[in-house]
Amino acid sequence: QITLTESGPALVKVTQTLTLTCTFSGFSLTTNEVGVVWIRQPPGKALEWLAIIYWNDDKRYSPSLKNRLIVTKDTSKNQVVLTVTNMDPVDTATYFCAKTNWGSWYFDLWGRGTLVTVSS
Amino acid sequence: QSALTQPASVSGSPGQSITISCTATSSDVGGFTYVSWYQHHAGKAPKVMIYDVSYRPSGVSDRFSGSKSGNTASLTISGLQAEDEADYYCSLYTSSNDYVLFGGGTKLTVL
């Protein structure tokens, strides 16, 4: 059974750096063609794709946020970490991680998300 | 830059069929090949219902189907059930910018 669980602070302050962890089980990021993606959803708004990292350490970022995002993986811990710098109230959102596959461009299994609020 | 437009809400009675559209506002959508649809019940993990325009993942009911015409993709749900009430999002991979767009979401109400 594949599971993904997002974790991190529920509250951060403006200008701080947010670090979120996606801990997964049931698959490995050492397996060819596997990837993990980060997606967020501000309250009452649409989903927004943020970043993706693949088994081979290939990474892609949202063009509008790429200067503020870093995604890394720790295969020994089955974790993917997303760092978002210079947080702003507009970054308040539920952050999801999901599993994907190279070249497929859909996200087959998701976590339930973690809500992050940015306070001024 | 492309955007994906969905109706804010749709509704239908149990047993009926509904269709949710997803229209790209730009022509640079790479042939609309990598379209997927997600069902999201609040507080739960989103679930992929359709990928690559019209393919259903294993375990998804065949009441869900996908199609496309030009710059518009569609999700059709037939034989509506109460459990189908949720938010639905389309997504599209844009090769020109090498990232994934999501639509604004459609709230489905089963009357």
Side-chain angles (χ1 to χ4, degrees):
Chain A
Q1 182 187 2
I2 292 176
T3 64
L4 301 99
T5 304
E6 305 86 350
S7 59
L11 186 65
V12 297
K13 294 185 178 179
V14 172
T15 74
Q16 284 187 336
T17 294
L18 170 68
T19 300
L20 294 172
T21 301
C22 175
T23 303
F24 54 86
S25 64
F27 68 95
S28 172
L29 258 179
T30 61
T31 302
N32 281 1
E33 302 191 350
V34 172
V36 170
V37 62
W38 284 97
I39 293 158
R40 71 181 181 182
Q41 183 177 35
K45 296 188 177 181
L47 297 168
E48 180 182 20
W49 183 86
L50 300 177
I52 195 167
I53 186 167
Y54 290 105
W55 87 102
N56 59 358
D57 213 37
D58 185 13
K59 304 166 188 179
R60 317 282 174 87
Y61 294 101
S62 165
S64 62
L65 291 167
K66 62 181 179 180
N67 293 333
R68 299 175 51 213
L69 299 177
I70 300 173
V71 64
T72 60
K73 60 182 172 67
D74 185 334
T75 54
S76 66
K77 295 182 179 178
N78 279 349
Q79 291 181 335
V80 170
V81 174
L82 178 72
T83 301
V84 187
T85 61
N86 195 24
M87 291 289 284
D88 183 271
V90 300
D91 297 312
T92 293
T94 297
Y95 287 75
F96 298 94
C97 63
K99 176 185 168 293
T100 187
N101 295 289
W102 179 269
S104 68
W105 298 112
Y106 71 96
F107 316 121
D108 51 3
L109 287 159
W110 296 55
R112 298 183 66 164
T114 186
L115 175 62
V116 178
T117 301
V118 185
S119 69
S120 53
Chain B
Q1 183 172 321
S2 298
L4 296 179
T5 301
Q6 298 180 232
S9 63
V10 298
S11 62
S13 300
Q16 288 185 333
S17 294
I18 62 95
T19 297
I20 300 172
S21 62
C22 172
T23 301
T25 58
S26 170
S27 60
D28 62 337
V29 292
F32 234 94
T33 301
Y34 297 107
V35 177
S36 48
W37 290 90
Y38 299 89
Q39 177 190 66
H40 188 204
H41 290 102
K44 296 191 174 182
K47 177 183 178 183
V48 61
M49 308 304 284
I50 296 288
Y51 67 94
D52 293 356
V53 176
S54 60
Y55 291 86
R56 261 190 321 275
S58 173
V60 171
S61 170
D62 61 4
R63 298 186 298 106
F64 292 82
S65 62
S67 63
K68 72 172 184 178
S69 176
N71 278 8
T72 297
S74 298
L75 173 72
T76 298
I77 308 174
S78 59
L80 270 180
Q81 299 179 0
E83 68 206 47
D84 299 332
E85 186 163 291
D87 294 325
Y88 290 84
Y89 294 89
C90 62
S91 76
L92 171 68
Y93 169 69
T94 62
S95 56
S96 58
N97 293 310
D98 197 24
Y99 81 115
V100 175
L101 276 171
F102 281 97
T106 298
K107 181 176 181 58
L108 169 61
T109 301
V110 180
L111 302 170

